[in-house]
Amino acid sequence: SRPILDMSYSRHFLDFQGSSIPSSMKKLVVTKLSQNFREAVTLQQDSPVPLPGDGDLLVRNRFVGINASDINYSAGRYDASVKPPFDIGFEGVGDVVALGLSASADYTVGQAVAYVKAGSFAEYTVVPARQAVPLPSVKPEFLTLMVSGATAYLSLKELGDLSEGKKVLVTAAAGGTGQFAVQLAKKAKCHVIGTCSSDEKGGFLKSIGCDCTINYKTENVESVLRKDYPEGVDVVYESVGGKMFDLALNALAIKGRLIVIGFIAGYQNPTGLQPIKAELLPAKLLKKSASVRGFFLNHYLSDYKMALQDLLEMYERGDLVCEVDFGDMSPEGKFTGLESVFRAVDYMYMGKNIGKIVVELPHSVNSKL
């Protein structure tokens, strides 16, 4: 029998280990619109811990995920009507420490959950119970699936038309979402080519099944593709933009598909874009009966839980590598605490990460977690 805990009207409550939930917490807040994350975002030391409503969970965040689009959000590019200050961070994994009465029908204090919701860069986040994903335990690997894994899964399923023998090019293949595009394309029995920026990343890609790796720092990607794949590639999973987009477009085979899931090369610019040779686009697509499709996860939420369930099962069976990068090799070491989110964003834009960048949020000693 699960205890029913009505926390929605209480200002003083205890968590499941018997230690008091504090009245204030740290969180990151966008205080000025800018694509420069350090300029846009402020660490607030004494924000009130939010209270869960009737259908909500209060989650103590243990791990939060860094996404390339964090700086699009801090620049106000997703919703022009939202004005600072506003909370930031898209995804978290943690423990339920309090909940509303309705939410207690499906959840209990102490339960591990993950979620995708703005405001995860905080010690505590209120999450509507219907948006939470119950987990067997609190592990950073689960966080890699929430945005990055689901993006690869749904975009390739809905737009990729993958089948045995197809040639799939994944740009930024060793990154947070690229790692999943590589593995899911291999599961569909495709031949996978991955671009990356170091031999270490190339080694990681080989370890997860990539057939061909191209280090764009030391090799000419265009030349390699023209020589090794003269007929072109059937599908491109593209997240870089700029020159890489142009190159990928030129590499498409007859009836090829280019899926745009991002254009990180331009996010740090004031416009968020890098120039592409778009005036040639109609002619190039026509000549090859090719297509360019955009994919934004928010437009596919009706299939999100199904995708996540499948990904979680694959990981639990050992059929999916969920590589996590805590920044252990970064100059100042592991990303720990909300203050290290700034370093983690810099690390991503320097192209250093292998896998998904995750920040750990440790909690005070009086919590027995």
Short mmCIF file of all heavy atoms in Angstrom, two decimals, residues 37-85:
data_model
loop_
_atom_site.label_atom_id
_atom_site.label_comp_id
_atom_site.label_asym_id
_atom_site.label_seq_id
_atom_site.Cartn_x
_atom_site.Cartn_y
_atom_site.Cartn_z
N PHE A 37 26.15 32.17 -23.51
CA PHE A 37 25.52 31.57 -22.33
C PHE A 37 25.96 32.25 -21.04
O PHE A 37 25.16 32.52 -20.14
CB PHE A 37 25.83 30.08 -22.30
CG PHE A 37 24.99 29.29 -21.35
CD1 PHE A 37 23.72 28.87 -21.70
CD2 PHE A 37 25.47 28.95 -20.09
CE1 PHE A 37 22.93 28.13 -20.81
CE2 PHE A 37 24.70 28.21 -19.20
CZ PHE A 37 23.42 27.80 -19.57
N ARG A 38 27.26 32.57 -20.95
CA ARG A 38 27.78 33.19 -19.72
C ARG A 38 27.20 34.59 -19.51
O ARG A 38 27.02 35.02 -18.37
CB ARG A 38 29.31 33.23 -19.75
CG ARG A 38 29.95 31.86 -19.55
CD ARG A 38 31.46 31.95 -19.57
NE ARG A 38 32.08 30.64 -19.43
CZ ARG A 38 32.40 30.09 -18.25
NH1 ARG A 38 32.15 30.73 -17.13
NH2 ARG A 38 32.97 28.89 -18.20
N GLU A 39 26.94 35.30 -20.60
CA GLU A 39 26.33 36.63 -20.50
C GLU A 39 24.84 36.55 -20.17
O GLU A 39 24.30 37.40 -19.47
CB GLU A 39 26.48 37.39 -21.83
CG GLU A 39 27.80 38.08 -22.00
CD GLU A 39 27.83 38.86 -23.31
OE1 GLU A 39 26.76 39.11 -23.90
OE2 GLU A 39 28.94 39.21 -23.75
N ALA A 40 24.20 35.53 -20.70
CA ALA A 40 22.74 35.44 -20.59
C ALA A 40 22.26 34.91 -19.25
O ALA A 40 21.18 35.27 -18.79
CB ALA A 40 22.20 34.54 -21.71
N VAL A 41 23.06 34.04 -18.64
CA VAL A 41 22.56 33.22 -17.52
C VAL A 41 23.23 33.60 -16.21
O VAL A 41 24.43 33.84 -16.15
CB VAL A 41 22.78 31.72 -17.83
CG1 VAL A 41 22.32 30.85 -16.68
CG2 VAL A 41 22.04 31.33 -19.12
N THR A 42 22.43 33.65 -15.15
CA THR A 42 22.91 33.97 -13.81
C THR A 42 22.61 32.81 -12.86
O THR A 42 21.53 32.21 -12.93
CB THR A 42 22.17 35.23 -13.27
OG1 THR A 42 22.38 36.30 -14.21
CG2 THR A 42 22.68 35.64 -11.90
N LEU A 43 23.58 32.49 -12.00
CA LEU A 43 23.35 31.49 -10.96
C LEU A 43 22.73 32.19 -9.75
O LEU A 43 23.37 33.04 -9.13
CB LEU A 43 24.67 30.82 -10.56
CG LEU A 43 24.60 29.84 -9.38
CD1 LEU A 43 23.69 28.65 -9.67
CD2 LEU A 43 25.99 29.35 -9.00
N GLN A 44 21.48 31.85 -9.45
CA GLN A 44 20.82 32.44 -8.28
C GLN A 44 20.98 31.50 -7.09
O GLN A 44 20.69 30.31 -7.19
CB GLN A 44 19.34 32.69 -8.59
CG GLN A 44 19.16 33.74 -9.66
CD GLN A 44 17.73 34.21 -9.81
OE1 GLN A 44 16.79 33.60 -9.30
NE2 GLN A 44 17.54 35.30 -10.55
N GLN A 45 21.43 32.04 -5.98
CA GLN A 45 21.79 31.22 -4.81
C GLN A 45 20.62 30.91 -3.90
O GLN A 45 20.63 29.92 -3.20
CB GLN A 45 22.86 31.96 -3.98
CG GLN A 45 24.15 32.22 -4.73
CD GLN A 45 25.05 30.99 -4.82
OE1 GLN A 45 24.76 29.96 -4.22
NE2 GLN A 45 26.12 31.10 -5.58
N ASP A 46 19.61 31.78 -3.88
CA ASP A 46 18.57 31.62 -2.85
C ASP A 46 17.17 31.75 -3.44
O ASP A 46 16.34 32.51 -2.95
CB ASP A 46 18.78 32.62 -1.71
CG ASP A 46 18.87 34.06 -2.23
OD1 ASP A 46 18.82 34.24 -3.46
OD2 ASP A 46 18.98 34.98 -1.40
N SER A 47 16.91 30.99 -4.49
CA SER A 47 15.56 30.95 -5.05
C SER A 47 14.69 30.06 -4.18
O SER A 47 15.17 29.06 -3.64
CB SER A 47 15.59 30.38 -6.47
OG SER A 47 16.31 31.24 -7.31
N PRO A 48 13.40 30.39 -4.02
CA PRO A 48 12.54 29.52 -3.23
C PRO A 48 12.38 28.15 -3.89
O PRO A 48 12.27 28.07 -5.11
CB PRO A 48 11.20 30.26 -3.19
CG PRO A 48 11.31 31.42 -4.11
CD PRO A 48 12.73 31.59 -4.53
N VAL A 49 12.41 27.10 -3.08
CA VAL A 49 12.12 25.76 -3.61
C VAL A 49 10.64 25.74 -4.00
O VAL A 49 9.77 26.07 -3.18
CB VAL A 49 12.43 24.67 -2.57
CG1 VAL A 49 11.94 23.30 -3.04
CG2 VAL A 49 13.93 24.62 -2.29
N PRO A 50 10.32 25.39 -5.24
CA PRO A 50 8.92 25.43 -5.66
C PRO A 50 8.09 24.34 -4.99
O PRO A 50 8.63 23.31 -4.58
CB PRO A 50 9.00 25.21 -7.18
CG PRO A 50 10.27 24.44 -7.38
CD PRO A 50 11.22 24.89 -6.30
N LEU A 51 6.79 24.57 -4.90
CA LEU A 51 5.90 23.59 -4.28
C LEU A 51 5.11 22.86 -5.36
O LEU A 51 4.59 23.49 -6.29
CB LEU A 51 4.91 24.28 -3.34
CG LEU A 51 5.51 24.81 -2.05
CD1 LEU A 51 4.52 25.70 -1.33
CD2 LEU A 51 5.94 23.64 -1.17
N PRO A 52 5.00 21.54 -5.25
CA PRO A 52 4.22 20.80 -6.24
C PRO A 52 2.73 21.04 -6.05
O PRO A 52 2.24 21.11 -4.93
CB PRO A 52 4.58 19.34 -5.95
CG PRO A 52 4.99 19.31 -4.51
CD PRO A 52 5.58 20.65 -4.22
N GLY A 53 2.02 21.19 -7.17
CA GLY A 53 0.56 21.25 -7.12
C GLY A 53 -0.03 19.86 -7.06
O GLY A 53 0.69 18.86 -6.94
N ASP A 54 -1.32 19.77 -7.17
CA ASP A 54 -2.04 18.51 -6.99
C ASP A 54 -1.54 17.40 -7.92
O ASP A 54 -1.41 16.25 -7.52
CB ASP A 54 -3.54 18.75 -7.21
CG ASP A 54 -4.34 17.49 -6.99
OD1 ASP A 54 -4.24 16.91 -5.88
OD2 ASP A 54 -5.04 17.05 -7.92
N GLY A 55 -1.25 17.74 -9.18
CA GLY A 55 -0.83 16.71 -10.14
C GLY A 55 0.66 16.70 -10.42
O GLY A 55 1.11 16.18 -11.44
N ASP A 56 1.44 17.28 -9.48
CA ASP A 56 2.88 17.48 -9.73
C ASP A 56 3.76 16.64 -8.82
O ASP A 56 3.36 16.21 -7.74
CB ASP A 56 3.26 18.95 -9.48
CG ASP A 56 2.57 19.92 -10.41
OD1 ASP A 56 2.22 19.50 -11.54
OD2 ASP A 56 2.37 21.08 -10.01
N LEU A 57 5.02 16.52 -9.28
CA LEU A 57 6.09 15.92 -8.49
C LEU A 57 7.12 17.01 -8.21
O LEU A 57 7.38 17.86 -9.06
CB LEU A 57 6.79 14.80 -9.27
CG LEU A 57 5.91 13.75 -9.94
CD1 LEU A 57 6.77 12.83 -10.81
CD2 LEU A 57 5.14 12.95 -8.91
N LEU A 58 7.72 16.98 -7.03
CA LEU A 58 8.90 17.79 -6.78
C LEU A 58 10.10 16.85 -6.91
O LEU A 58 10.22 15.88 -6.15
CB LEU A 58 8.87 18.43 -5.39
CG LEU A 58 10.10 19.31 -5.07
CD1 LEU A 58 10.16 20.53 -5.99
CD2 LEU A 58 10.10 19.75 -3.60
N VAL A 59 10.94 17.14 -7.89
CA VAL A 59 12.09 16.26 -8.18
C VAL A 59 13.37 16.93 -7.71
O VAL A 59 13.63 18.09 -8.02
CB VAL A 59 12.18 15.98 -9.70
CG1 VAL A 59 13.40 15.12 -10.01
CG2 VAL A 59 10.91 15.29 -10.19
N ARG A 60 14.15 16.19 -6.92
CA ARG A 60 15.49 16.66 -6.55
C ARG A 60 16.43 16.18 -7.67
O ARG A 60 16.63 14.98 -7.84
CB ARG A 60 15.92 16.08 -5.21
CG ARG A 60 17.35 16.47 -4.89
CD ARG A 60 17.71 16.36 -3.43
NE ARG A 60 17.35 15.07 -2.87
CZ ARG A 60 17.21 14.85 -1.56
NH1 ARG A 60 17.34 15.84 -0.72
NH2 ARG A 60 16.90 13.66 -1.11
N ASN A 61 16.94 17.11 -8.43
CA ASN A 61 17.75 16.75 -9.59
C ASN A 61 19.11 16.18 -9.17
O ASN A 61 19.79 16.78 -8.33
CB ASN A 61 17.96 17.97 -10.50
CG ASN A 61 16.67 18.44 -11.12
OD1 ASN A 61 15.91 17.64 -11.65
ND2 ASN A 61 16.41 19.75 -11.05
N ARG A 62 19.45 15.06 -9.77
CA ARG A 62 20.76 14.45 -9.51
C ARG A 62 21.70 14.58 -10.71
O ARG A 62 22.90 14.70 -10.55
CB ARG A 62 20.56 12.97 -9.17
CG ARG A 62 19.71 12.73 -7.93
CD ARG A 62 20.51 12.75 -6.66
NE ARG A 62 21.52 11.70 -6.64
CZ ARG A 62 21.26 10.40 -6.42
NH1 ARG A 62 20.02 10.01 -6.18
NH2 ARG A 62 22.23 9.52 -6.43
N PHE A 63 21.13 14.54 -11.91
CA PHE A 63 21.90 14.72 -13.14
C PHE A 63 21.08 15.58 -14.10
O PHE A 63 19.88 15.38 -14.23
CB PHE A 63 22.19 13.37 -13.81
CG PHE A 63 22.98 12.42 -12.96
CD1 PHE A 63 22.36 11.38 -12.29
CD2 PHE A 63 24.36 12.58 -12.81
CE1 PHE A 63 23.08 10.50 -11.49
CE2 PHE A 63 25.09 11.70 -12.01
CZ PHE A 63 24.45 10.66 -11.35
N VAL A 64 21.75 16.54 -14.76
CA VAL A 64 21.07 17.34 -15.76
C VAL A 64 21.87 17.28 -17.06
O VAL A 64 23.10 17.17 -17.04
CB VAL A 64 20.86 18.81 -15.31
CG1 VAL A 64 19.90 18.86 -14.13
CG2 VAL A 64 22.18 19.49 -14.96
N GLY A 65 21.16 17.36 -18.18
CA GLY A 65 21.79 17.21 -19.48
C GLY A 65 22.07 18.54 -20.14
O GLY A 65 21.28 19.49 -20.03
N ILE A 66 23.20 18.62 -20.85
CA ILE A 66 23.57 19.81 -21.61
C ILE A 66 23.20 19.56 -23.07
O ILE A 66 23.50 18.50 -23.63
CB ILE A 66 25.10 20.07 -21.50
CG1 ILE A 66 25.52 20.18 -20.03
CG2 ILE A 66 25.50 21.31 -22.29
CD1 ILE A 66 24.94 21.34 -19.28
N ASN A 67 22.55 20.54 -23.68
CA ASN A 67 22.15 20.43 -25.09
C ASN A 67 22.68 21.62 -25.87
O ASN A 67 22.76 22.73 -25.34
CB ASN A 67 20.62 20.39 -25.20
CG ASN A 67 20.05 19.09 -24.65
OD1 ASN A 67 20.11 18.06 -25.29
ND2 ASN A 67 19.52 19.15 -23.43
N ALA A 68 23.01 21.40 -27.14
CA ALA A 68 23.49 22.49 -27.99
C ALA A 68 22.49 23.64 -28.00
O ALA A 68 22.86 24.81 -28.04
CB ALA A 68 23.74 21.98 -29.40
N SER A 69 21.21 23.29 -27.94
CA SER A 69 20.16 24.31 -28.04
C SER A 69 19.95 25.09 -26.74
O SER A 69 19.13 26.01 -26.71
CB SER A 69 18.84 23.67 -28.49
OG SER A 69 18.59 22.50 -27.77
N ASP A 70 20.71 24.79 -25.68
CA ASP A 70 20.62 25.61 -24.47
C ASP A 70 20.91 27.08 -24.81
O ASP A 70 20.28 27.98 -24.25
CB ASP A 70 21.61 25.13 -23.40
CG ASP A 70 21.18 23.82 -22.75
OD1 ASP A 70 19.95 23.60 -22.64
OD2 ASP A 70 22.05 23.01 -22.37
N ILE A 71 21.84 27.31 -25.76
CA ILE A 71 22.14 28.71 -26.06
C ILE A 71 21.11 29.32 -27.02
O ILE A 71 20.97 30.54 -27.08
CB ILE A 71 23.59 28.92 -26.57
CG1 ILE A 71 23.80 28.39 -27.98
CG2 ILE A 71 24.60 28.32 -25.60
CD1 ILE A 71 25.16 28.79 -28.55
N ASN A 72 20.39 28.48 -27.75
CA ASN A 72 19.25 29.03 -28.52
C ASN A 72 18.16 29.50 -27.56
O ASN A 72 17.49 30.51 -27.79
CB ASN A 72 18.68 27.98 -29.46
CG ASN A 72 19.58 27.74 -30.66
OD1 ASN A 72 20.34 28.61 -31.04
ND2 ASN A 72 19.49 26.56 -31.24
N TYR A 73 17.97 28.73 -26.49
CA TYR A 73 16.95 29.06 -25.51
C TYR A 73 17.33 30.34 -24.76
O TYR A 73 16.49 31.22 -24.55
CB TYR A 73 16.80 27.87 -24.55
CG TYR A 73 15.49 27.86 -23.79
CD1 TYR A 73 14.28 27.70 -24.47
CD2 TYR A 73 15.46 28.00 -22.42
CE1 TYR A 73 13.07 27.67 -23.78
CE2 TYR A 73 14.26 27.97 -21.71
CZ TYR A 73 13.07 27.81 -22.41
OH TYR A 73 11.88 27.79 -21.73
N SER A 74 18.63 30.45 -24.38
CA SER A 74 19.06 31.65 -23.65
C SER A 74 19.05 32.89 -24.55
O SER A 74 19.00 34.01 -24.06
CB SER A 74 20.46 31.44 -23.05
OG SER A 74 21.46 31.45 -24.05
N ALA A 75 19.07 32.67 -25.87
CA ALA A 75 19.00 33.79 -26.81
C ALA A 75 17.56 34.15 -27.16
O ALA A 75 17.31 35.10 -27.91
CB ALA A 75 19.75 33.44 -28.10
N GLY A 76 16.60 33.38 -26.63
CA GLY A 76 15.18 33.67 -26.86
C GLY A 76 14.71 33.31 -28.26
O GLY A 76 13.75 33.88 -28.77
N ARG A 77 15.38 32.32 -28.88
CA ARG A 77 15.05 32.00 -30.28
C ARG A 77 13.83 31.10 -30.44
O ARG A 77 13.31 30.96 -31.54
CB ARG A 77 16.25 31.33 -30.95
CG ARG A 77 17.40 32.29 -31.19
CD ARG A 77 18.60 31.63 -31.81
NE ARG A 77 19.70 32.59 -31.92
CZ ARG A 77 20.98 32.28 -31.75
NH1 ARG A 77 21.33 31.05 -31.47
NH2 ARG A 77 21.90 33.21 -31.85
N TYR A 78 13.39 30.43 -29.38
CA TYR A 78 12.28 29.49 -29.52
C TYR A 78 10.92 30.15 -29.32
O TYR A 78 9.93 29.73 -29.88
CB TYR A 78 12.44 28.31 -28.56
CG TYR A 78 13.57 27.38 -28.97
CD1 TYR A 78 14.30 26.70 -28.02
CD2 TYR A 78 13.90 27.20 -30.31
CE1 TYR A 78 15.34 25.85 -28.38
CE2 TYR A 78 14.93 26.36 -30.68
CZ TYR A 78 15.65 25.69 -29.71
OH TYR A 78 16.67 24.86 -30.09
N ASP A 79 10.88 31.15 -28.48
CA ASP A 79 9.60 31.81 -28.21
C ASP A 79 9.86 33.29 -27.94
O ASP A 79 10.30 33.67 -26.86
CB ASP A 79 8.92 31.15 -27.00
CG ASP A 79 7.53 31.72 -26.74
OD1 ASP A 79 7.16 32.72 -27.39
OD2 ASP A 79 6.81 31.16 -25.89
N ALA A 80 9.59 34.10 -28.96
CA ALA A 80 9.90 35.53 -28.88
C ALA A 80 9.08 36.24 -27.80
O ALA A 80 9.44 37.33 -27.36
CB ALA A 80 9.67 36.19 -30.23
N SER A 81 7.97 35.62 -27.38
CA SER A 81 7.10 36.28 -26.39
C SER A 81 7.64 36.15 -24.96
O SER A 81 7.21 36.87 -24.07
CB SER A 81 5.69 35.69 -26.46
OG SER A 81 5.70 34.35 -26.00
N VAL A 82 8.57 35.23 -24.74
CA VAL A 82 9.09 35.01 -23.38
C VAL A 82 10.20 36.01 -23.09
O VAL A 82 11.16 36.13 -23.85
CB VAL A 82 9.64 33.57 -23.23
CG1 VAL A 82 10.22 33.37 -21.83
CG2 VAL A 82 8.53 32.55 -23.47
N LYS A 83 10.04 36.74 -22.01
CA LYS A 83 11.03 37.76 -21.63
C LYS A 83 11.74 37.35 -20.34
O LYS A 83 11.14 36.74 -19.46
CB LYS A 83 10.33 39.11 -21.41
CG LYS A 83 9.56 39.62 -22.64
CD LYS A 83 10.51 40.11 -23.72
CE LYS A 83 9.76 40.65 -24.92
NZ LYS A 83 9.83 39.79 -26.09
N PRO A 84 13.03 37.70 -20.20
CA PRO A 84 13.76 37.37 -18.97
C PRO A 84 13.12 38.08 -17.77
O PRO A 84 12.50 39.13 -17.95
CB PRO A 84 15.17 37.92 -19.22
CG PRO A 84 15.26 38.19 -20.69
CD PRO A 84 13.86 38.44 -21.17
N PRO A 85 13.26 37.52 -16.56
CA PRO A 85 14.00 36.29 -16.27
C PRO A 85 13.16 35.03 -16.51
O PRO A 85 11.94 35.05 -16.29
CB PRO A 85 14.32 36.44 -14.78
CG PRO A 85 13.18 37.27 -14.24
CD PRO A 85 12.76 38.18 -15.35
#
